[in-house]
Structure formats: structure tokens, C-alpha cells
Amino acid sequence: MPDQTVEKQVPILAALAQTTRLQILDRVAEGGPEGVAAGEIARSIRCPASTLSFHLKELSRTGVLEARPAGRFIHYSLQRPALKELAVYIASLAGPVRPGRGRKSDGERRARKARASDTNQLSIFDD
């Protein structure tokens, strides 16, 4: 993974590592592409306006939310490309999934060891 990709994900992960911010994202996601007004977010998650403002600023700064003025209100919507990029990054940490190469159960490991001992072969691997 290129260093610039990792560096881009760090502030997003830091911003998401907070319960109120995840609640904000849930509420904004429900609003769809047209977004949700800040006041509606505050009411739905029961968050004081000053606290909400701080969290919205942090989420917007990382590119996860977009703020759009709409008359006297500011509507927030998800920046889905940023979230998709984060999802791809996290999935890459798990590595590629290959058919038939899943994690072995304890029973499968014991059976493999038993087969190895039956043939008088040494097994240095526990999988």
C-alpha cells in the first residue's frame, strides 16, 4: 500500500474513532444524497449545537462529509467516494481471500498433526 494512501486514511480513521461521530454518519447516511440539516442531526442524536459543530467540522475536514449551505441552514451529506476508499484500504489489510484457504479449526489442525505423525513426518506448522 503506498504511503500516501496510508497517510490519507489516518485522519479519517481518527475522526471515526468516536461514538458521536459514528452516530452523525448514521444519521447523515439516512438522509441520502440531499443531506441532512445540522439542526436535524442535533435533534436526532441529542447533541448540543456547539458539540455537534465541532464534530461536523472534524468529519468535513477529513472529507467524509460535505457541507452545503441551503438558505439559512447547512446540509451535510456523505462523501461516499472517501468512505469507499477507506473500505478498500481496510479490506486490503486482511489480504486476499483465496478459496479453500480459510482458517483451520482446532479439529482440522489435530487431524493434520495426527496424519503427519502416522507417516513419521515432522510438521513444524500448526495450521
PDB file of all heavy atoms in Angstrom, residues 73-95:
ATOM      1  N   PHE A  73     -29.788  27.254   6.440  1.00  0.00           N
ATOM      2  CA  PHE A  73     -29.310  26.008   7.025  1.00  0.00           C
ATOM      3  C   PHE A  73     -28.076  25.501   6.298  1.00  0.00           C
ATOM      4  O   PHE A  73     -27.799  25.900   5.174  1.00  0.00           O
ATOM      5  CB  PHE A  73     -30.405  24.935   6.955  1.00  0.00           C
ATOM      6  CG  PHE A  73     -31.677  25.358   7.624  1.00  0.00           C
ATOM      7  CD1 PHE A  73     -32.747  25.816   6.867  1.00  0.00           C
ATOM      8  CD2 PHE A  73     -31.799  25.302   8.998  1.00  0.00           C
ATOM      9  CE1 PHE A  73     -33.925  26.216   7.482  1.00  0.00           C
ATOM     10  CE2 PHE A  73     -32.979  25.699   9.617  1.00  0.00           C
ATOM     11  CZ  PHE A  73     -34.046  26.162   8.854  1.00  0.00           C
ATOM     12  N   ILE A  74     -27.383  24.609   6.967  1.00  0.00           N
ATOM     13  CA  ILE A  74     -26.277  23.896   6.327  1.00  0.00           C
ATOM     14  C   ILE A  74     -26.675  22.424   6.310  1.00  0.00           C
ATOM     15  O   ILE A  74     -27.014  21.846   7.339  1.00  0.00           O
ATOM     16  CB  ILE A  74     -24.948  24.089   7.079  1.00  0.00           C
ATOM     17  CG1 ILE A  74     -24.566  25.564   7.075  1.00  0.00           C
ATOM     18  CG2 ILE A  74     -23.851  23.234   6.451  1.00  0.00           C
ATOM     19  CD1 ILE A  74     -23.311  25.877   7.851  1.00  0.00           C
ATOM     20  N   HIS A  75     -26.646  21.857   5.118  1.00  0.00           N
ATOM     21  CA  HIS A  75     -26.967  20.434   4.959  1.00  0.00           C
ATOM     22  C   HIS A  75     -25.668  19.661   4.816  1.00  0.00           C
ATOM     23  O   HIS A  75     -24.752  20.080   4.106  1.00  0.00           O
ATOM     24  CB  HIS A  75     -27.845  20.214   3.728  1.00  0.00           C
ATOM     25  CG  HIS A  75     -29.252  20.630   3.943  1.00  0.00           C
ATOM     26  ND1 HIS A  75     -30.287  19.734   3.969  1.00  0.00           N
ATOM     27  CD2 HIS A  75     -29.804  21.844   4.166  1.00  0.00           C
ATOM     28  CE1 HIS A  75     -31.412  20.366   4.195  1.00  0.00           C
ATOM     29  NE2 HIS A  75     -31.147  21.656   4.309  1.00  0.00           N
ATOM     30  N   TYR A  76     -25.615  18.535   5.472  1.00  0.00           N
ATOM     31  CA  TYR A  76     -24.443  17.666   5.426  1.00  0.00           C
ATOM     32  C   TYR A  76     -24.813  16.375   4.702  1.00  0.00           C
ATOM     33  O   TYR A  76     -25.873  15.803   4.940  1.00  0.00           O
ATOM     34  CB  TYR A  76     -23.941  17.356   6.840  1.00  0.00           C
ATOM     35  CG  TYR A  76     -23.326  18.561   7.496  1.00  0.00           C
ATOM     36  CD1 TYR A  76     -24.107  19.466   8.208  1.00  0.00           C
ATOM     37  CD2 TYR A  76     -21.965  18.814   7.371  1.00  0.00           C
ATOM     38  CE1 TYR A  76     -23.544  20.594   8.789  1.00  0.00           C
ATOM     39  CE2 TYR A  76     -21.399  19.934   7.946  1.00  0.00           C
ATOM     40  CZ  TYR A  76     -22.197  20.817   8.645  1.00  0.00           C
ATOM     41  OH  TYR A  76     -21.636  21.935   9.214  1.00  0.00           O
ATOM     42  N   SER A  77     -23.921  15.943   3.830  1.00  0.00           N
ATOM     43  CA  SER A  77     -24.113  14.671   3.131  1.00  0.00           C
ATOM     44  C   SER A  77     -22.801  13.891   3.146  1.00  0.00           C
ATOM     45  O   SER A  77     -21.721  14.467   3.304  1.00  0.00           O
ATOM     46  CB  SER A  77     -24.595  14.900   1.697  1.00  0.00           C
ATOM     47  OG  SER A  77     -23.678  15.703   1.004  1.00  0.00           O
ATOM     48  N   LEU A  78     -22.939  12.588   3.000  1.00  0.00           N
ATOM     49  CA  LEU A  78     -21.757  11.724   2.991  1.00  0.00           C
ATOM     50  C   LEU A  78     -20.970  11.911   1.704  1.00  0.00           C
ATOM     51  O   LEU A  78     -21.548  12.091   0.631  1.00  0.00           O
ATOM     52  CB  LEU A  78     -22.159  10.253   3.094  1.00  0.00           C
ATOM     53  CG  LEU A  78     -22.751   9.772   4.402  1.00  0.00           C
ATOM     54  CD1 LEU A  78     -23.083   8.289   4.299  1.00  0.00           C
ATOM     55  CD2 LEU A  78     -21.802  10.007   5.555  1.00  0.00           C
ATOM     56  N   GLN A  79     -19.688  11.832   1.824  1.00  0.00           N
ATOM     57  CA  GLN A  79     -18.807  11.781   0.667  1.00  0.00           C
ATOM     58  C   GLN A  79     -18.477  10.307   0.451  1.00  0.00           C
ATOM     59  O   GLN A  79     -17.484   9.786   0.966  1.00  0.00           O
ATOM     60  CB  GLN A  79     -17.548  12.615   0.911  1.00  0.00           C
ATOM     61  CG  GLN A  79     -17.819  14.100   0.925  1.00  0.00           C
ATOM     62  CD  GLN A  79     -18.331  14.549  -0.429  1.00  0.00           C
ATOM     63  OE1 GLN A  79     -17.637  14.453  -1.423  1.00  0.00           O
ATOM     64  NE2 GLN A  79     -19.571  15.017  -0.471  1.00  0.00           N
ATOM     65  N   ARG A  80     -19.350   9.633  -0.268  1.00  0.00           N
ATOM     66  CA  ARG A  80     -19.229   8.187  -0.442  1.00  0.00           C
ATOM     67  C   ARG A  80     -17.898   7.738  -1.046  1.00  0.00           C
ATOM     68  O   ARG A  80     -17.375   6.702  -0.642  1.00  0.00           O
ATOM     69  CB  ARG A  80     -20.421   7.653  -1.218  1.00  0.00           C
ATOM     70  CG  ARG A  80     -21.702   7.829  -0.415  1.00  0.00           C
ATOM     71  CD  ARG A  80     -22.903   7.183  -1.041  1.00  0.00           C
ATOM     72  NE  ARG A  80     -24.123   7.564  -0.350  1.00  0.00           N
ATOM     73  CZ  ARG A  80     -24.554   7.037   0.776  1.00  0.00           C
ATOM     74  NH1 ARG A  80     -23.854   6.092   1.357  1.00  0.00           N
ATOM     75  NH2 ARG A  80     -25.671   7.445   1.332  1.00  0.00           N
ATOM     76  N   PRO A  81     -17.310   8.479  -1.993  1.00  0.00           N
ATOM     77  CA  PRO A  81     -16.002   8.036  -2.507  1.00  0.00           C
ATOM     78  C   PRO A  81     -14.933   7.928  -1.408  1.00  0.00           C
ATOM     79  O   PRO A  81     -14.133   6.991  -1.413  1.00  0.00           O
ATOM     80  CB  PRO A  81     -15.635   9.105  -3.537  1.00  0.00           C
ATOM     81  CG  PRO A  81     -16.958   9.651  -3.996  1.00  0.00           C
ATOM     82  CD  PRO A  81     -17.825   9.622  -2.760  1.00  0.00           C
ATOM     83  N   ALA A  82     -14.941   8.855  -0.458  1.00  0.00           N
ATOM     84  CA  ALA A  82     -13.963   8.794   0.635  1.00  0.00           C
ATOM     85  C   ALA A  82     -14.208   7.565   1.500  1.00  0.00           C
ATOM     86  O   ALA A  82     -13.261   6.890   1.924  1.00  0.00           O
ATOM     87  CB  ALA A  82     -14.034  10.058   1.484  1.00  0.00           C
ATOM     88  N   LEU A  83     -15.479   7.254   1.749  1.00  0.00           N
ATOM     89  CA  LEU A  83     -15.803   6.076   2.556  1.00  0.00           C
ATOM     90  C   LEU A  83     -15.493   4.781   1.810  1.00  0.00           C
ATOM     91  O   LEU A  83     -15.025   3.810   2.402  1.00  0.00           O
ATOM     92  CB  LEU A  83     -17.265   6.119   2.986  1.00  0.00           C
ATOM     93  CG  LEU A  83     -17.610   7.239   3.968  1.00  0.00           C
ATOM     94  CD1 LEU A  83     -19.110   7.346   4.155  1.00  0.00           C
ATOM     95  CD2 LEU A  83     -16.912   7.019   5.293  1.00  0.00           C
ATOM     96  N   LYS A  84     -15.721   4.772   0.503  1.00  0.00           N
ATOM     97  CA  LYS A  84     -15.391   3.581  -0.292  1.00  0.00           C
ATOM     98  C   LYS A  84     -13.889   3.349  -0.315  1.00  0.00           C
ATOM     99  O   LYS A  84     -13.422   2.211  -0.220  1.00  0.00           O
ATOM    100  CB  LYS A  84     -15.942   3.720  -1.707  1.00  0.00           C
ATOM    101  CG  LYS A  84     -17.437   3.525  -1.764  1.00  0.00           C
ATOM    102  CD  LYS A  84     -17.964   3.658  -3.180  1.00  0.00           C
ATOM    103  CE  LYS A  84     -19.480   3.505  -3.170  1.00  0.00           C
ATOM    104  NZ  LYS A  84     -20.063   3.683  -4.492  1.00  0.00           N
ATOM    105  N   GLU A  85     -13.125   4.433  -0.440  1.00  0.00           N
ATOM    106  CA  GLU A  85     -11.666   4.312  -0.434  1.00  0.00           C
ATOM    107  C   GLU A  85     -11.189   3.763   0.910  1.00  0.00           C
ATOM    108  O   GLU A  85     -10.291   2.921   0.969  1.00  0.00           O
ATOM    109  CB  GLU A  85     -11.036   5.679  -0.715  1.00  0.00           C
ATOM    110  CG  GLU A  85      -9.555   5.625  -0.971  1.00  0.00           C
ATOM    111  CD  GLU A  85      -8.999   6.978  -1.368  1.00  0.00           C
ATOM    112  OE1 GLU A  85      -9.664   7.718  -2.112  1.00  0.00           O
ATOM    113  OE2 GLU A  85      -7.880   7.293  -0.914  1.00  0.00           O
ATOM    114  N   LEU A  86     -11.808   4.222   1.997  1.00  0.00           N
ATOM    115  CA  LEU A  86     -11.472   3.706   3.322  1.00  0.00           C
ATOM    116  C   LEU A  86     -11.813   2.222   3.422  1.00  0.00           C
ATOM    117  O   LEU A  86     -11.029   1.436   3.942  1.00  0.00           O
ATOM    118  CB  LEU A  86     -12.216   4.492   4.405  1.00  0.00           C
ATOM    119  CG  LEU A  86     -12.020   4.008   5.837  1.00  0.00           C
ATOM    120  CD1 LEU A  86     -10.564   4.129   6.264  1.00  0.00           C
ATOM    121  CD2 LEU A  86     -12.936   4.784   6.779  1.00  0.00           C
ATOM    122  N   ALA A  87     -12.960   1.833   2.896  1.00  0.00           N
ATOM    123  CA  ALA A  87     -13.370   0.426   2.927  1.00  0.00           C
ATOM    124  C   ALA A  87     -12.390  -0.452   2.148  1.00  0.00           C
ATOM    125  O   ALA A  87     -12.031  -1.547   2.599  1.00  0.00           O
ATOM    126  CB  ALA A  87     -14.783   0.276   2.370  1.00  0.00           C
ATOM    127  N   VAL A  88     -11.941   0.023   1.005  1.00  0.00           N
ATOM    128  CA  VAL A  88     -10.968  -0.722   0.199  1.00  0.00           C
ATOM    129  C   VAL A  88      -9.656  -0.859   0.965  1.00  0.00           C
ATOM    130  O   VAL A  88      -9.048  -1.930   0.999  1.00  0.00           O
ATOM    131  CB  VAL A  88     -10.750  -0.042  -1.173  1.00  0.00           C
ATOM    132  CG1 VAL A  88      -9.534  -0.608  -1.887  1.00  0.00           C
ATOM    133  CG2 VAL A  88     -11.992  -0.176  -2.027  1.00  0.00           C
ATOM    134  N   TYR A  89      -9.235   0.229   1.608  1.00  0.00           N
ATOM    135  CA  TYR A  89      -7.996   0.198   2.388  1.00  0.00           C
ATOM    136  C   TYR A  89      -8.098  -0.831   3.518  1.00  0.00           C
ATOM    137  O   TYR A  89      -7.214  -1.668   3.690  1.00  0.00           O
ATOM    138  CB  TYR A  89      -7.678   1.581   2.959  1.00  0.00           C
ATOM    139  CG  TYR A  89      -6.552   1.557   3.944  1.00  0.00           C
ATOM    140  CD1 TYR A  89      -5.249   1.340   3.527  1.00  0.00           C
ATOM    141  CD2 TYR A  89      -6.791   1.709   5.306  1.00  0.00           C
ATOM    142  CE1 TYR A  89      -4.207   1.286   4.438  1.00  0.00           C
ATOM    143  CE2 TYR A  89      -5.763   1.659   6.219  1.00  0.00           C
ATOM    144  CZ  TYR A  89      -4.470   1.444   5.787  1.00  0.00           C
ATOM    145  OH  TYR A  89      -3.449   1.381   6.693  1.00  0.00           O
ATOM    146  N   ILE A  90      -9.199  -0.801   4.265  1.00  0.00           N
ATOM    147  CA  ILE A  90      -9.363  -1.731   5.382  1.00  0.00           C
ATOM    148  C   ILE A  90      -9.424  -3.167   4.873  1.00  0.00           C
ATOM    149  O   ILE A  90      -8.812  -4.066   5.454  1.00  0.00           O
ATOM    150  CB  ILE A  90     -10.600  -1.360   6.222  1.00  0.00           C
ATOM    151  CG1 ILE A  90     -10.314  -0.057   6.968  1.00  0.00           C
ATOM    152  CG2 ILE A  90     -10.970  -2.476   7.185  1.00  0.00           C
ATOM    153  CD1 ILE A  90     -11.484   0.516   7.703  1.00  0.00           C
ATOM    154  N   ALA A  91     -10.138  -3.389   3.776  1.00  0.00           N
ATOM    155  CA  ALA A  91     -10.209  -4.738   3.204  1.00  0.00           C
ATOM    156  C   ALA A  91      -8.820  -5.223   2.781  1.00  0.00           C
ATOM    157  O   ALA A  91      -8.508  -6.409   2.916  1.00  0.00           O
ATOM    158  CB  ALA A  91     -11.176  -4.756   2.022  1.00  0.00           C
ATOM    159  N   SER A  92      -7.982  -4.319   2.299  1.00  0.00           N
ATOM    160  CA  SER A  92      -6.638  -4.717   1.868  1.00  0.00           C
ATOM    161  C   SER A  92      -5.782  -5.176   3.044  1.00  0.00           C
ATOM    162  O   SER A  92      -4.850  -5.959   2.869  1.00  0.00           O
ATOM    163  CB  SER A  92      -5.942  -3.572   1.127  1.00  0.00           C
ATOM    164  OG  SER A  92      -5.515  -2.569   2.028  1.00  0.00           O
ATOM    165  N   LEU A  93      -6.094  -4.699   4.243  1.00  0.00           N
ATOM    166  CA  LEU A  93      -5.323  -5.111   5.421  1.00  0.00           C
ATOM    167  C   LEU A  93      -5.514  -6.591   5.721  1.00  0.00           C
ATOM    168  O   LEU A  93      -4.628  -7.238   6.248  1.00  0.00           O
ATOM    169  CB  LEU A  93      -5.733  -4.280   6.642  1.00  0.00           C
ATOM    170  CG  LEU A  93      -5.435  -2.785   6.565  1.00  0.00           C
ATOM    171  CD1 LEU A  93      -5.994  -2.081   7.798  1.00  0.00           C
ATOM    172  CD2 LEU A  93      -3.948  -2.527   6.426  1.00  0.00           C
ATOM    173  N   ALA A  94      -6.698  -7.107   5.380  1.00  0.00           N
ATOM    174  CA  ALA A  94      -6.987  -8.519   5.627  1.00  0.00           C
ATOM    175  C   ALA A  94      -6.306  -9.415   4.599  1.00  0.00           C
ATOM    176  O   ALA A  94      -6.180 -10.613   4.817  1.00  0.00           O
ATOM    177  CB  ALA A  94      -8.501  -8.748   5.611  1.00  0.00           C
ATOM    178  N   GLY A  95      -5.874  -8.841   3.499  1.00  0.00           N
ATOM    179  CA  GLY A  95      -5.226  -9.621   2.461  1.00  0.00           C
ATOM    180  C   GLY A  95      -6.240 -10.294   1.563  1.00  0.00           C
ATOM    181  O   GLY A  95      -7.441 -10.301   1.854  1.00  0.00           O
TER     182      GLY A  95
END
